[in-house]
Amino acid sequence: EMLMKKVWTILVIISLSLFAGIPVFAESFQGVKYTVIGKSNLGSIKCSIAIRLEKKVTKEFLHKLALKLRKAEPREYDRMFITYYLPGMTPGSGAWATSHFDPNLEVKILGTTIEEEKALMDEPKNSSGEIIGKWFDEFPYGGVKYTFLKRDGKIIMIRKFKDGSSYEKEMIQKNQSGRVDRKSTRLNSSHTDI
């Protein structure tokens, strides 16, 4: 009877955690934490797994993790499709990386790699102007380094991509309700609040 109470308690906790969207079984592999955030299968034909990684990893790490995940499956599938998401990324809106057994393992990093992001962020500061802000924005199939600077009394936004291409836009600055709103000089463009 005591064992049965423990089993029911564990099942209730797991059910409530899943209902609340709280990852229950966060795991670690080679010092990197990850969580299975979605899983489905179609008989023995295919299995799809969505993984949330705590940080970017190397292609070699993804290769080893994919082999571990496949081996851990209780049933064998003809094909297995694994998608990897970084913190803040929305599942189903494009993954940062994939490792697909179709039927052989192929690993792809769709976003920026650790090295690409470092190269973008560490580039020499040869811009002609005072840097007022910079950050990196990771999104599926790429990543962008944004730099805002003051040049000749104007606000300039520079977007630099992992392939080395970039472009600059002059921004219009106006104070609105105690915040600074910067808008592109082009019509029908989006706003950027800083």
Side-chain angles (χ1 to χ4, degrees):
E1 185 175 283
M2 186 63 132
L3 178 62
M4 199 61 164
K5 281 185 179 182
K6 286 181 182 180
V7 169
W8 277 112
T9 303
I10 291 171
L11 287 174
V12 168
I13 290 170
I14 291 172
S15 298
L16 289 174
S17 297
L18 291 174
F19 180 72
I22 300 167
V24 178
F25 298 114
E27 297 187 44
S28 184
F29 179 67
Q30 294 184 347
V32 177
K33 292 180 185 167
Y34 71 92
T35 305
V36 176
I37 55 175
K39 189 173 178 183
S40 65
N41 64 32
L42 181 62
S44 64
I45 298 171
K46 78 169 189 169
C47 177
S48 298
I49 302 173
I51 301 288
R52 169 91 58 208
L53 296 167
E54 72 172 330
K55 63 181 181 178
K56 287 184 179 181
V57 293
T58 64
K59 197 172 181 178
E60 293 76 27
F61 177 91
L62 293 174
H63 188 274
K64 290 176 185 174
L65 179 58
L67 293 172
K68 175 192 181 297
L69 292 169
R70 183 165 179 118
K71 186 176 180 183
E73 277 301 305
R75 123 193 262 188
E76 211 167 297
Y77 297 96
D78 296 338
R79 289 173 168 64
M80 180 178 279
F81 303 101
I82 307 169
T83 52
Y84 302 94
Y85 298 90
L86 298 174
M89 294 181 86
T90 305
S93 297
W96 172 71
T98 61
S99 54
H100 296 332
F101 294 89
D102 191 22
N104 299 319
L105 177 57
E106 184 178 359
V107 177
K108 290 182 183 176
I109 294 181
L110 308 170
T112 45
T113 64
I114 296 168
E115 295 80 16
E116 290 168 335
E117 181 178 343
K118 183 173 176 18
L120 277 172
M121 295 308 290
D122 290 347
E123 71 179 327
K125 296 178 175 91
N126 60 359
S127 57
S128 57
E130 173 195 351
I131 295 177
I132 56 176
K134 70 177 183 174
W135 68 91
F136 186 79
D137 183 18
E138 182 71 57
F139 60 90
Y141 306 106
V144 177
K145 175 188 175 186
Y146 289 88
T147 305
F148 280 79
L149 53 96
K150 284 186 181 178
R151 181 189 303 150
D152 301 325
K154 298 176 181 175
I155 303 289
I156 307 295
M157 177 182 71
I158 303 169
R159 292 179 70 186
K160 182 151 186 178
F161 300 90
K162 72 178 187 174
D163 67 1
S165 64
S166 65
Y167 74 90
E168 294 185 13
K169 285 200 290 188
E170 181 182 340
M171 308 299 281
I172 298 171
Q173 178 177 328
K174 66 180 185 178
N175 289 324
Q176 185 174 341
S177 304
R179 70 177 192 187
V180 177
D181 188 37
R182 292 177 172 88
K183 182 178 179 183
S184 170
T185 55
R186 294 184 338 198
L187 295 175
N188 300 324
S189 61
S190 61
H191 293 259
T192 305
D193 293 329
I194 299 179

